[in-house]
Amino acid sequence: MGAYFSVASTKSDKRERDGVSPNETCKRQRMSPTVDEESPRLIPNLPDELSLQIIARLPRICYLNVRMVSKKWKSTIMSLELYKLRKELGTTEEWLYLLIKVGENNLVWHALDPRSKIWQRVPNMPNFADEEEPKKGSSRLWMWNMVEGIRIAEVIRGFLGRKDAFDEMPYCGCAIGAVDGCLYVLGGFSKASTMRCVWRFDPIQSTWSKVTPMSTGRAYSKTGILNNKLYVVGGVSQGHAGLVPLQSAEVFDPSTDTWSHIPSMPFSRAQVLPNAFLADMLKPIATGLTSYMGRLCVPQSLYSWPFFVDVGGEIYDPDTNSWIEMPAGMGEGWPARQAGTKLSVVVDGELYAFDPSNAMDSGRIKVYDRGEDAWKVVIGKVPIYDSADSESPYLLAGFHGKLHVITKDANHDIAVLQAGLRNNLGFSPSLSTLSQSTLHESPELASEIDAAVVWRVVACRDFGQAELVSCQVIDI
């Protein structure tokens, strides 16, 4: 014991001779770089492999804060390894990405975590002026009315030869898609020229980047996902005499960053018009696209400003790499909203569409019955509060296995509504089951079930006078 105190005293005396007090030594140890800084572990005393397992189980919304712990935590949160592990563990989360138009010329993305109801601002989109388009257009309506919010009537004016229809609408008409955990913005107009450029937003890195452009400049094209590939069909391209409708289609593989051609849409209904006059006057255009049952379903219309007429549609089968005519009931009964555009979504394997009513504050949800080749009402009243002055008063989305409607509520806030059924019905059928049997066979029960539909507010936010444009769901 005496030897121990002697050694301790010797060490203390040495520190004092060197002019360093014991307290100062401890302070220097705390302030000096440690071994953990040079070769840090994510969580002290735990192997990084185990720490990664823990992080992968955290709610994704927590990553916004934990990434600030250290450089290694940040690199881990932004690593593909983490999100691959989340997929293996089944801890991925579906977030809603909403594009809104603020003012006359500002498009803004917001991400919503439905679980925490927290909104997050997405970095601004880059300047979409393609390098191949040297002309500089007005930015007064920068990317105005992309995709779902467009007035297709303006496209038809181009069909009739107006070259200046989009001179004041630079970047209008881009298409939106989501595949492999990323958002994609495709084509559109730069001045009066259609662009080929494609931009990708990576939520993991929180950055925008340009990828391989499409083979053809397109505006107002339609997008869909099959087998983790992004398909783009139709749209319009700038010709010498105005806008020309496109029948072509192509597919993007994000794993190789390459585009490939697929057969063009035949537009078979447009080929059987009775005379050359109608064939020249009526222009075919794809008015929607939905990935359903492993195939691409493309409803189509014939346009002649200011009128349009539905002509069914066509379906692309990737297994045979060919197009077939859409079943008559599916194509002719597909609900159309303003200017003939078709708004639909697949939820839990069922194809739903929004059918506007004559009232400005309501609408209906229909589901497609494959067995009977018919669209049937499943929800008779959808609350739409602010549609009079809006280009796109509502959007559809499917996540968490439920149908959602994005619209404005009575307070003019943007609200995400989830459709569900009350639990006091004595049974719990799905919406699609109701439409295919009980609603069709019993109008009385249909009224009762419609009254039992509950619209739950998932989240809402005041975005001022912002208008809805488009939305996508990403699961990472």
Side-chain angles (χ1 to χ4, degrees), residues 226-287:
L226 281 180
N227 304 322
N228 210 37
K229 295 181 180 179
L230 176 62
Y231 288 79
V232 181
V233 304
V236 295
S237 184
Q238 183 67 31
H240 294 296
L243 296 178
V244 178
L246 296 172
Q247 297 179 224
S248 62
E250 48 191 313
V251 56
F252 178 74
D253 187 345
S255 65
T256 60
D257 192 28
T258 56
W259 287 91
S260 303
H261 288 283
I262 64 173
S264 297
M265 293 180 290
F267 277 117
S268 55
R269 293 285 188 92
Q271 310 302 324
V272 294
L273 292 173
N275 55 59
F277 172 75
L278 288 177
D280 182 65
M281 183 179 67
L282 298 175
K283 305 297 182 180
I285 187 172
T287 53

Side-chain angles (χ1 to χ4, degrees), residues 435-458:
S435 68
Q436 293 173 17
S437 56
T438 54
L439 293 184
H440 182 62
E441 297 169 2
S442 173
E444 295 79 9
L445 182 58
S447 177
E448 180 181 344
I449 297 297
D450 192 49
V453 172
V454 178
W455 288 99
R456 183 175 72 88
V457 179
V458 175

Side-chain angles (χ1 to χ4, degrees), residues 347-359:
V347 182
D348 198 21
E350 300 291 344
L351 176 59
Y352 295 91
F354 186 91
D355 184 14
S357 67
N358 292 329

Side-chain angles (χ1 to χ4, degrees), residues 97 122-123 181-184 199-203 206-209 474:
Y97 286 79
V122 174
C182 293
L183 286 172
Y184 286 81
W199 291 87
R200 174 173 60 200
F201 175 73
D202 184 349
S206 194
T207 57
W208 291 91
S209 60
I474 295 182

Side-chain angles (χ1 to χ4, degrees), residues 98-230:
L98 181 66
L99 182 63
I100 60 175
K101 180 165 73 83
V102 181
E104 291 295 324
N105 61 350
N106 192 21
L107 283 171
V108 180
W109 283 99
H110 287 269
L112 169 67
D113 173 17
R115 300 293 189 192
S116 67
K117 305 182 186 299
I118 294 177
W119 293 87
Q120 179 187 357
R121 173 73 178 268
V122 174
N124 290 335
M125 292 184 288
N127 186 345
F128 283 173
D130 197 1
E131 294 175 358
E132 63 192 71
E133 303 293 346
K135 295 181 292 183
K136 294 183 179 180
S138 167
S139 60
R140 185 158 52 94
L141 294 175
W142 184 75
M143 286 195 69
W144 179 69
N145 270 348
M146 290 167 60
V147 202
E148 301 294 350
I150 66 171
R151 290 192 186 279
I152 293 186
E154 294 296 327
V155 178
I156 310 310
R157 292 187 183 131
F159 286 174
L160 299 180
R162 262 187 67 176
K163 297 182 181 181
D164 61 343
F166 297 95
D167 282 354
E168 298 302 323
M169 299 168 60
Y171 314 115
C172 173
C174 295
I176 304 294
V179 63
D180 198 26
C182 293
L183 286 172
Y184 286 81
V185 178
L186 308 95
F189 284 95
S190 175
K191 291 283 285 185
S193 298
T194 48
M195 298 191 295
R196 300 167 52 229
C197 64
V198 180
W199 291 87
R200 174 173 60 200
F201 175 73
D202 184 349
I204 298 175
Q205 303 297 324
S206 194
T207 57
W208 291 91
S209 60
K210 184 179 287 190
V211 299
T212 303
M214 297 179 290
S215 63
T216 302
R218 300 174 186 270
Y220 302 116
S221 58
K222 305 300 177 183
T223 63
I225 309 300
L226 281 180
N227 304 322
N228 210 37
K229 295 181 180 179
L230 176 62

Side-chain angles (χ1 to χ4, degrees), residues 405-448:
V405 174
I406 299 95
T407 184
K408 287 194 173 185
D409 62 17
N411 297 321
H412 304 287
D413 296 340
I414 289 180
V416 181
L417 308 178
Q418 182 186 93
L421 296 174
R422 298 184 190 275
N423 295 325
N424 59 358
L425 297 177
F427 59 98
S428 56
S430 66
L431 294 178
S432 59
T433 302
L434 289 174
S435 68
Q436 293 173 17
S437 56
T438 54
L439 293 184
H440 182 62
E441 297 169 2
S442 173
E444 295 79 9
L445 182 58
S447 177
E448 180 181 344

